[in-house]
Amino acid sequence: MVKELGNLLITLFCMVVKSFVFILPDRLRPKFGKWLGKLLLKTVKSYSETARESMELVLKDELTPEEIERLIEANFTHMGQVIVEFMLSWKLNHKNFREYANLTVEGEEFLEKAHRRGKGIILYTAHLGNWEWLGGMVAFLGYPLTAIVQRQHNRSFDWWINRLRRSKGVRILYTRKMSQRDAYLALKNNECLFLLGDQYPLSNGWPVTFFNQPTYAFSGAVRFAERTGASIVPAFLVREGW
């Protein structure tokens, strides 16, 4: 009961932050995002320690400790701005998204070509840039999109963020209990299947080298493509300014 109450308070806090972001002048929103990121860096120690351990592991021979610290801070300030943008996505729709986001699309011809094949598209991305906006942007461009997402431990927050995602035309499949049949059907219906591939697979992973470190990558994108004939199209949404 106490845990559920705490989860509900976290969701209510996010709603308050959303309302605050809405009333802020746009020129102050990126500054608020950077402040929010620095706050997360100082208060959420588990994330900052993970970032530090990972960067020291792969960059210790290339960067000084001071440069690594600056990179960690830059990462968190970016994340703070992603959070602000996520709140602002409540304002996005298929009519205003190009102007509101000042969106430039590069390489859409590859998406169009894959869609004309009629065998579905595996939109393969990562936690790079703003992955949350990317799904909605692709759906706004006119490509039906189904995203495979992880269920959040906080049920009220999970409901809130997926309500937002669905409002942008994104259909949701959950990872743990997702039906592979639903994913295959999405591809058979010539939809985009939205996959975030930069996470550690708990099973059926393929060994790869990443930043000179041995690790494992998800094999699902290739397996889906082999079985359906779908095209794999890498895609990212990168912020250039605010």
Side-chain angles (χ1 to χ4, degrees):
M1 193 71 177
V2 173
K3 183 179 178 181
E4 287 298 318
L5 180 59
N7 287 340
L8 183 59
L9 288 174
I10 290 171
T11 306
L12 290 174
F13 175 75
C14 291
M15 293 178 177
V16 170
V17 171
K18 183 196 82 169
S19 300
F20 180 70
V21 167
F22 274 25
I23 64 175
L24 269 181
D26 193 59
R27 61 184 174 82
L28 295 180
R29 286 168 176 162
K31 294 179 180 179
F32 176 67
K34 290 179 180 179
W35 174 85
L36 190 61
K38 290 179 180 179
L39 180 65
L40 292 173
L41 175 60
K42 292 180 179 179
T43 57
V44 188
K45 293 298 183 181
S46 58
Y47 284 175
S48 59
E49 288 171 3
T50 298
R52 188 169 290 104
E53 288 172 3
S54 298
M55 290 191 187
E56 287 175 350
L57 179 67
V58 301
L59 297 172
K60 64 179 181 296
D61 295 330
E62 299 178 33
L63 300 179
T64 66
E66 292 76 18
E67 289 172 326
I68 288 175
E69 286 301 319
R70 285 197 293 270
L71 192 58
I72 292 168
E73 182 173 317
N75 178 264
F76 273 81
T77 55
H78 162 72
M79 278 303 305
Q81 291 188 313
V82 168
I83 292 170
V84 171
E85 289 169 343
F86 182 71
M87 302 301 182
L88 289 172
S89 59
W90 288 94
K91 292 178 176 286
L92 287 173
N93 57 56
H94 72 282
K95 293 181 180 179
N96 71 5
F97 75 98
R98 283 186 183 272
E99 293 75 24
Y100 197 87
N102 194 22
L103 182 70
T104 300
V105 182
E106 297 180 4
E108 189 179 355
E109 63 272 18
F110 300 113
L111 201 57
E112 292 172 344
K113 183 179 179 180
H115 195 254
R116 285 197 300 270
R117 291 183 64 242
K119 294 182 178 292
I121 302 166
I122 296 169
L123 205 66
Y124 200 62
T125 188
H127 292 87
L128 174 70
N130 192 323
W131 62 93
E132 284 290 352
W133 271 24
L134 178 60
M137 296 296 181
V138 172
F140 290 150
L141 288 171
Y143 301 94
L145 186 135
T146 295
I148 297 178
V149 305
Q150 286 188 338
R151 190 183 296 274
Q152 303 293 316
H153 296 299
N154 184 334
R155 290 187 295 177
S156 60
F157 183 71
D158 184 82
W159 171 84
W160 187 66
I161 62 170
N162 284 315
R163 177 179 167 227
L164 172 57
R165 290 164 173 165
R166 292 185 179 103
S167 74
K168 309 307 163 192
V170 177
R171 189 165 72 98
I172 299 297
L173 292 180
Y174 286 107
T175 50
R176 297 291 184 186
K177 296 182 180 179
M178 83 168 203
S179 167
Q180 288 199 10
R181 179 175 174 272
D182 287 340
Y184 283 120
L185 282 176
L187 294 174
K188 289 292 185 183
N189 291 334
N190 201 24
E191 296 180 22
C192 292
L193 187 65
F194 190 78
L195 299 178
L196 286 154
D198 60 335
Q199 299 176 83
Y200 191 81
L202 296 178
S203 61
N204 300 321
W206 285 345
V208 296
T209 300
F210 186 65
F211 280 103
N212 295 319
Q213 302 296 319
T215 185
Y216 290 88
F218 279 113
S219 59
V222 175
R223 294 183 191 278
F224 278 133
E226 285 179 336
R227 294 175 186 176
T228 63
S231 302
I232 300 176
V233 180
F236 306 97
L237 194 152
V238 180
R239 183 192 307 112
E240 296 179 349
W242 178 247

